[in-house]
Amino acid sequence: MDKNSKIYIAGHKGLVGSAFLRYLQAKGYANLITATHKQLDLRDFNRTKKFFERNKPAYVILAAAKVGGINANQSYPADFLYDNLAIQNNIFRSALDTSVKKLMFLGSSCIYPAKCPQPMKEEYLLTGPLEPTNEGYALAKIAGLKLAAYFYRQHNFKSICLMPCNLYGPNDSFDLQNSHVLSALVKKFVDADQENKKEVVLCGSGIARREFMHADDLAHIGTALMDKIKTPDIINIGTGTDISIKQLATLVARKAGYKGSVIWDTSMPDGMLKKRMDVSKMPALGFKPKIPLEKGIDGMISEYRKLTNA
């Protein structure tokens, strides 16, 4: 992508899309195309097609998606499957029909089987049942991967497929009904510190382990790979290291200044117990994450305090 190329960032207000927007703006890309959900409902094919015909992007970063944590995924599985399928299908078809040069499809580590061997290699896809707590979202993302592969095979439509680990960073949701684990912990412990609560209740046992990477690191590598990668093969993107939710909670609590007790509600699900990805392809591509988890948590706490004037 040269710096004058028209690049459409779908989902530029969200965690991942805003990271790409910040990165590309900082690097001097001059023709970035965006649209809010109010301006363009990507679930509507006719509106999406007209948007592509009118703007004619050369490249697309597909960061738009319905996302959320365990609670949201369990409560609205039909929405997670239907909405994400609709968004993906409409963008792929519109991109093909308007001669987009290349599309970036962003998946999720939840595409891998619930009892996947660790670390999770790309070839483990579809080798076992999915984790039930986020099956709808995972199925949609798997369908997107297959769509990319089949569009390439049948139409020679070019795309790259990146599977990031758990992401966090600016513009992540702090709504406990829809947030991811790290932003939820930040909210709970900062609020508890401000309100002088004696205890904080967290879902699950805390034994589940997760791999975290800052969204800005994904934007860096993703932009570089748009030129490097020629086929829609899956590429895991992450740090290659994980941490238990209990360890993460302890770290966030300390940084938020919370000194009370933590109660684990084991009646709530842990989700997939281990989700560490094999990221052995990344060194060959010349990428290594730059933002340490502790520094990233500091940034999340600072952002939440600004949002709430805490």
Side-chain angles (χ1 to χ4, degrees), residues 169-204:
N171 293 315
D172 204 350
S173 172
F174 292 104
D175 176 359
L176 294 180
Q177 293 301 312
N178 299 299
S179 60
H180 297 106
V181 61
L182 200 154
S183 56
L185 291 174
V186 167
K187 174 178 173 54
K188 286 200 170 191
F189 285 121
V190 171
D191 287 354
D193 176 56
Q194 292 299 309
E195 297 164 13
N196 294 312
K197 287 185 177 179
K198 301 294 185 184
E199 63 180 39
V200 168
V201 178
L202 300 178
C203 295

Side-chain angles (χ1 to χ4, degrees), residues 35 111 122 155 185 197 247 266 271 279 285 296:
I111 64 168
E122 289 89 348
H155 303 293
L185 291 174
K197 287 185 177 179
Q247 290 171 316
T266 55
V279 294
L285 296 169

Side-chain angles (χ1 to χ4, degrees), residues 132-150:
T133 56
N134 58 14
E135 186 179 68
Y137 181 73
L139 286 170
K141 288 299 181 181
I142 292 169
L145 292 172
K146 292 300 182 182
L147 199 61
Y150 296 156

Side-chain angles (χ1 to χ4, degrees), residues 190-242:
V190 171
D191 287 354
D193 176 56
Q194 292 299 309
E195 297 164 13
N196 294 312
K197 287 185 177 179
K198 301 294 185 184
E199 63 180 39
V200 168
V201 178
L202 300 178
C203 295
S205 66
I207 65 170
R209 302 185 68 85
R210 293 292 182 266
E211 178 181 356
F212 293 94
M213 185 174 72
H214 200 285
D216 287 353
D217 277 330
L218 174 63
H220 174 199
I221 180 61
T223 301
L225 293 184
M226 281 293 270
D227 292 325
K228 284 189 175 185
I229 303 300
K230 307 301 181 185
T231 59
D233 299 325
I234 305 170
I235 302 174
N236 287 342
I237 305 294
T239 63
T241 60
D242 61 7

Side-chain angles (χ1 to χ4, degrees), residues 49 63 114 177 187 217 271 278 284 290 303-304:
K49 180 73 175 294
Q177 293 301 312
K187 174 178 173 54
D217 277 330
D278 183 305
K290 297 179 179 180
E303 180 183 3
Y304 182 65

